[in-house]
Amino acid sequence: MAVKQGGPEPDGNRQLFDLIKQAKLNNVPTDNIQRAIKRASEASVGDFTEGTFEAYGFGGASLVINVLTDNNNRASADVKSAVGKLHGKIAESGSVLFMYDRKGKIEVPVVLDEEEVMMGAIDAGVDDMELVEGEEEGTSIVYTDPKDAFLMLEAVQSLGQANAKMSLCYVSKAPVECTEEDFEKNMQIVDALEDLEDVDSVEHNMSN
């Protein structure tokens, strides 16, 4: 999307420059980065568009499905098929998203000190941040406003966390805890969606 909107030269495309910087921080090989830029800039590939699908799973679970595709019809058909085959339900636009906030997400493979992170955020000019435990034991996640995501990333890196990774995500305003059976069914849907060519990421509201 950044190439499409601003061109393939990072010097004249701030969004692309930031994405390349983040890719390198996340140890993406330079060849892969250049190949992705070339692919996106070739007219024969077609225009890539971003989209979001919303769905319901089991036990009160909801899903936000983010796609990046050059074929909207294919993406729509594949997402609906994957959800339907596993007995989930595609939701009407807006019926799930209103229960989520858009956030910048910084992932760190260690437990961070909240006071240090807060001071780093203040020094970086970040007004709002939240430090929580990561999905895996011994890790941390810092959430912030999307517009402050790169500033927060640099603040965390200044604390010696060069391996910090940044992304944008949807975070549930009201997490639900499903039964073990429902959780497993919902994760089957998530796994099936993440295997699709056009699906970039899947977020959910399950707390367990």
Side-chain angles (χ1 to χ4, degrees):
M1 287 299 293
V3 173
K4 175 185 172 184
Q5 293 170 356
E9 296 299 329
D11 288 345
N13 184 340
R14 177 64 188 181
Q15 184 182 5
L16 178 59
F17 176 82
D18 287 340
L19 288 172
I20 291 174
K21 178 180 177 183
Q22 181 57 31
K24 289 180 177 178
L25 288 171
N26 289 344
N27 298 317
V28 177
T30 301
D31 287 348
N32 291 11
I33 297 171
Q34 295 301 329
R35 188 160 54 247
I37 293 172
K38 182 176 184 295
R39 181 171 181 262
S41 63
E42 290 175 348
S44 60
V45 174
D47 290 338
F48 280 80
T49 57
E50 294 172 301
T52 302
F53 293 88
E54 302 162 53
Y56 295 112
F58 299 87
S62 61
L63 306 174
V64 178
I65 305 149
N66 303 298
V67 302
L68 179 62
T69 182
D70 61 345
N71 187 323
N72 288 321
N73 290 334
R74 179 188 66 216
S76 178
D78 287 352
V79 167
K80 291 176 180 178
S81 175
V83 172
K85 281 181 179 179
L86 293 167
H87 309 293
K89 181 182 178 182
I90 292 293
E92 292 185 10
S93 179
S95 61
V96 167
L97 273 182
F98 82 94
M99 298 184 289
Y100 288 74
D101 286 323
R102 188 69 162 161
K103 296 282 189 180
K105 180 181 181 181
I106 315 300
E107 298 176 88
V108 186
V110 299
V111 176
L112 294 174
D113 180 83
E114 185 171 12
E115 185 174 347
E116 286 186 354
V117 175
M118 189 175 299
M119 292 304 298
I122 292 172
D123 290 343
V126 177
D127 298 325
D128 185 33
M129 53 78 60
E130 179 187 11
L131 175 63
V132 300
E133 293 181 4
E135 296 177 3
E136 298 181 9
E137 186 176 352
T139 65
S140 301
I141 295 174
V142 182
Y143 289 114
T144 189
D145 189 290
K147 67 178 175 58
D148 293 331
F150 276 105
L151 292 176
M152 192 68 243
L153 172 66
E154 291 177 346
V156 171
Q157 291 173 335
S158 73
L159 300 176
Q161 303 303 324
N163 292 327
K165 297 181 180 181
M166 190 213 77
S167 60
L168 298 179
C169 66
Y170 287 100
V171 179
S172 174
K173 299 176 184 177
V176 300
E177 185 170 356
C178 299
T179 65
E180 185 174 342
E181 180 181 357
D182 284 343
F183 178 79
E184 290 178 358
K185 290 179 179 178
N186 291 330
M187 289 310 298
Q188 287 179 354
I189 298 176
V190 171
D191 290 343
L193 287 166
E194 289 182 338
D195 284 341
L196 296 178
E197 176 184 354
D198 296 314
V199 171
D200 187 49
S201 63
V202 181
E203 280 121 13
H204 58 75
N205 66 341
M206 293 182 290
S207 61
N208 52 332

